[in-house]
Amino acid sequence: MKVRRSKRIRERKRYEEQDLMKITKSISSLTIKSKAPTFKSIAKGIRNGSYRKIIIMAGAGISVASGIPDFRSPKTGLYNNLKKYNLPYPEAIFDIQYFVEKPQPFFTLAKELYPGNFEPTPVHHFFRLLQDNNVLKRVYTQNIDTLERRAGVLPHKLVESHGSFANATCVNCSEEYDCEDIKKDVMKSKIPRCKYCKEGIIKPNITFFGEGLPEKFWWYESDFPKADLLIVLGTSLSVLPFGSLIEKVPKTCHRLLINNVEVAVNNSLGYKDPKLQGFKFNEKNNTRDAKKIGDCQKSILEFIQMCGWEKQYKKLLKKSKY
Ligand code: CNA
């Protein structure tokens, strides 16, 4: 009798242990289920109003479709096509020391890139759609082509982090000019000179290597901690400090990369600061990073559709006066 009782106790204990194991397993599977967002789930989130403070980080890749080459794309990127400028190193074209001595290569390029020659792309219109739907916190662009403005992104919603062609300044006396004031000279391949001090070169307000970033760039310090979604498009994220801003959003903020190659994955950029870790797309513990690899224009058209903004997009295109 005693033996049977202790056998029953042992069996019950075993069952209890098995139950406990099952519960533990289902809890851990629940943790795994709180997994990362996707391109699709983020679009759905925008559609149902889950994201209301969206920050955009954009780069040269978003303007390639309008005819402006980016920097680093193999074969087509600007850095691979600078032979005609006879530069000591590719970055010299945007180096302030070099510019002051030899401004011609920059102005030859400026003639090609001057605002007015290019139209915004679907990605630029998408920024406008975010703004019109009151979910845009801010667009941070590295681009100098002013296409965000042309798409109707309002000045207070836009941070041109590396400056732009919109205005220009005399490097000698700091007199300010509008881009239209110097356009004639640039188009005639003439170096624009200041009409006040008579000697200074008038340089478009693009941030060159060796110059400080525009005041507005520092808005990121209060913007990024408030974001609930970060969308990064058409950038290699290799220019710092801009590239490091992906780390400035809260840990709970979803981050979506839309680019034709993966960038900044697991500190692939080799940031020296250990806090800069990059995207975690492929890691098991990823709970916030999503990616859509491919042409950003195609991806954004798909995204616009998934957000339920197709009609609005078509209307916007019709209304645009380009
Ligand atoms: P980058 O380093 O050349 O990177 C561009 C990224 O976009 C790369 O990862 C490309 O693979 C990717 N890309 C290119 N085409 C597409 C496409 N169609 N779809 C998806 N992805 C694509 O340029 P960044 O912007 O990262 O570098 C910062 C520099 C570039 C800034 O200082 C800018 O001033 C400068 N820049 C600006 C312009 C412009 O204003 N349009 C043009 C060229 C360079």
Side-chain angles (χ1 to χ4, degrees):
M1 191 66 184
K2 237 183 173 183
V3 174
R4 236 194 279 156
R5 205 167 148 240
S6 72
K7 199 179 164 198
R8 265 213 313 276
I9 291 173
R10 271 208 310 276
E11 268 179 0
R12 196 188 304 151
K13 241 184 162 179
R14 213 177 56 231
Y15 286 136
E16 278 172 5
E17 274 170 12
Q18 278 174 354
D19 279 351
L20 197 69
M21 267 170 65
K22 270 188 204 157
I23 292 168
T24 321
K25 252 190 178 172
S26 67
I27 287 175
S28 62
S29 77
L30 265 183
T31 324
I32 291 166
K33 268 182 193 150
S34 68
K35 58 180 188 223
T38 61
F39 182 64
K40 208 171 164 185
S41 75
I42 290 176
K44 205 172 154 195
I46 293 181
R47 191 179 186 137
N48 67 26
S50 302
Y51 303 106
R52 308 216 56 87
K53 290 175 189 143
I54 303 173
I55 291 186
I56 296 289
M57 283 174 68
I62 69 165
S63 296
V64 170
S66 70
I68 308 171
D70 66 1
F71 270 175
R72 293 173 185 83
S73 277
K75 289 189 191 155
T76 55
L78 266 179
Y79 280 165
N80 273 312
N81 291 286
L82 290 173
K83 273 192 198 115
K84 59 180 171 185
Y85 301 104
N86 213 7
L87 298 160
Y89 53 96
E91 287 87 352
I93 200 151
F94 292 114
D95 186 311
I96 192 64
Q97 304 276 9
Y98 188 82
F99 173 83
V100 174
E101 281 169 29
K102 292 187 178 163
Q104 194 59 61
F106 168 76
F107 280 109
T108 308
L109 180 67
K111 188 177 167 182
E112 283 177 41
L113 300 184
Y114 222 72
N117 298 339
F118 304 96
E119 301 299 346
T121 69
V123 170
H124 297 94
H125 295 306
F126 170 68
F127 301 163
R128 171 70 191 270
L129 285 176
L130 292 172
Q131 177 179 285
D132 290 354
N133 285 284
N134 294 321
V135 292
L136 178 68
K137 177 90 187 140
R138 211 90 64 192
V139 174
Y140 282 77
T141 184
Q142 296 167 95
N143 294 347
I144 51 181
D145 55 33
T146 66
L147 290 182
E148 294 84 4
R149 296 178 185 216
R150 277 181 66 92
V153 178
L154 294 166
H156 72 282
K157 288 286 174 187
L158 180 63
V159 175
E160 290 164 325
S161 307
H162 295 163
S164 85
F165 269 111
N167 308 94
T169 307
C170 168
V171 292
N172 186 47
C173 72
S174 302
E175 183 64 31
E176 301 220 350
Y177 293 84
D178 188 84
C179 82
E180 287 304 316
D181 302 334
I182 61 168
K183 188 170 182 177
K184 239 185 186 170
D185 280 349
V186 176
M187 291 305 147
K188 281 197 249 161
S189 303
K190 220 174 125 192
I191 307 290
R193 297 274 172 187
C194 181
K195 51 183 178 197
Y196 297 97
C197 72
K198 307 282 182 214
E199 53 182 291
I201 303 165
I202 305 169
K203 174 186 156 293
N205 291 351
I206 292 166
T207 311
F208 278 29
F209 296 115
E211 288 188 303
L213 293 173
E215 280 281 298
K216 250 183 159 182
F217 174 75
W218 305 102
W219 285 8
Y220 88 80
E221 289 178 341
S222 65
D223 279 356
F224 276 61
K226 293 181 195 132
D228 52 19
L229 174 63
L230 176 69
I231 308 181
V232 180
L233 307 104
T235 171
S236 62
L237 289 176
S238 53
V239 176
L240 294 178
F242 188 92
S244 68
L245 295 190
I246 62 166
E247 311 289 348
K248 306 293 180 191
V249 291
K251 290 272 177 269
T252 50
C253 173
H254 288 168
R255 304 185 297 187
L256 170 63
L257 171 73
I258 301 180
N259 206 46
N260 60 7
V261 289
E262 280 191 13
V263 295
V265 182
N266 297 339
N267 197 17
S268 60
L269 297 175
Y271 297 133
K272 294 213 172 75
D273 183 343
K275 276 190 243 135
L276 306 180
Q277 289 299 312
F279 292 116
K280 300 279 178 195
F281 311 119
N282 310 319
E283 287 194 14
K284 267 192 193 154
N285 60 357
N286 172 28
T287 52
R288 62 166 171 159
D289 293 338
K291 64 181 175 185
K292 177 73 174 172
I293 303 303
D295 174 55
C296 60
Q297 307 299 342
K298 256 180 151 175
S299 303
I300 220 65
L301 288 172
E302 195 184 330
F303 200 69
I304 288 172
Q305 202 170 21
M306 290 190 296
C307 289
W309 292 345
E310 219 186 358
K311 264 192 190 164
Q312 226 180 323
Y313 174 69
K314 282 184 186 155
K315 242 184 177 173
L316 190 66
L317 285 189
K318 264 193 197 160
K319 264 203 303 192
S320 313
K321 295 184 196 110
Y322 326 119

